[in-house]
Amino acid sequence: MFDWVLLTHAHADHAQGLKRMLKEFGTTRFWYPNTVMFQAGTSSAKQGRPAYVGSLFRFVTRSKVVHQYDAIDTRKRLPRFGKVSMQVLWPPQGHNSSNENDNSVVLALTLGQVSFVLTGDAEADAWNSVPPGQASALHSFIPDNTKFFKVPHHGADNGMFDPGGHPQTPWLDRLSADTKLGISSHVQPFPHPSQNVISEIKRRHLECYRTDQHYHVTVATDGAKTWMEYSH
């Protein structure tokens, strides 16, 4: 049984398959973003919720192999995962974007002196936005000790380059030269990662691993050092 499973947002390439996986293995906790799509009983959720998400949630709420389920946002204090602390960086309270990618849960995991940031599909406009009641944009909450960062939205242009006029998203400027990057590639039916994104990463001489080139990618840390393993 899994300790926890997190559904970042309600798109098929993230949600489909979870029901079968949960049936097979179960989980102590199941988390999902606290946005309109997932708010039980609301008409807006029922109207906009894809069938595969509805099927998944019917299973989650009725199954004995899912012990606890909960919607999360930046207010939620997550339990420790062994020696690892976890913090929700996004979405903020009350956030509901018409762009489902920007409802993605962004999660920071910290062990010792090392943090990993998992970004879902949060696009550049989300990283540049300042949540209500806060003085800083999302990118400013990236831990200073981040040593692994998942490139948002499979390396698509809109995960790095902000159509609002910024040359690139500030998340890239927040990362140190020794931060390792990972891209969950999405080459079909979309050409992700974008060559523009890859070129910018290379220009900055950042170490990057891609599932379309390295296949199964594993990132590990002992709280001091970080290393990568891959199968190709």
Side-chain angles (χ1 to χ4, degrees), residues 167-226:
Q168 63 268 333
T169 56
W171 64 256
L172 193 58
D173 296 327
R174 284 278 298 168
L175 305 181
S176 60
D178 62 344
T179 302
K180 295 174 173 58
L181 303 180
I183 300 179
S184 175
S185 304
H186 201 327
V187 295
Q188 293 293 338
F190 308 105
H192 303 335
S194 160
Q195 188 54 53
N196 295 329
V197 171
I198 297 301
S199 296
E200 183 64 22
I201 291 171
K202 287 182 177 179
R203 187 182 74 81
R204 297 187 182 226
H205 305 291
L206 292 170
E207 194 174 330
C208 184
Y209 298 84
R210 303 164 46 177
T211 58
D212 61 324
Q213 292 187 347
H214 300 96
Y215 296 5
H216 300 99
V217 178
T218 301
V219 55
T221 184
D222 58 5
K225 297 187 226 177
T226 303

Side-chain angles (χ1 to χ4, degrees), residues 96-162:
N96 286 293
S97 174
S98 58
N99 178 359
E100 183 60 22
N101 284 338
D102 287 347
N103 292 326
S104 292
V105 174
V106 178
L107 188 66
L109 301 95
T110 302
L111 176 65
Q113 303 304 309
V114 173
S115 290
F116 293 174
V117 176
L118 308 179
T119 64
D121 282 355
E123 295 182 12
D125 52 348
W127 289 94
N128 283 318
S129 65
V130 180
Q134 296 186 10
S136 303
L138 168 60
H139 66 82
S140 66
F141 296 104
I142 297 172
D144 292 334
N145 60 351
T146 297
K147 299 304 177 186
F148 175 80
F149 189 91
K150 177 190 169 293
V151 175
H153 199 196
H154 312 284
D157 278 338
N158 58 19
M160 179 181 288
F161 301 102
D162 189 341

Side-chain angles (χ1 to χ4, degrees), residues 15-26:
Q16 280 191 325
L18 275 184
K19 178 180 174 181
R20 181 173 180 181
M21 184 184 77
L22 292 173
K23 276 185 175 180
E24 181 71 21
F25 299 104

Side-chain angles (χ1 to χ4, degrees), residues 6 31-34 71-78 85-92 104-109 118 134 138 141:
L6 168 64
W31 293 319
Y32 51 95
N34 188 23
I72 61 175
D73 56 28
T74 52
R75 298 170 299 169
K76 178 71 173 178
R77 295 188 64 181
L78 300 181
S85 63
M86 302 190 289
Q87 181 183 5
V88 179
L89 305 183
W90 190 265
S104 292
V105 174
V106 178
L107 188 66
L109 301 95
L118 308 179
Q134 296 186 10
L138 168 60
F141 296 104

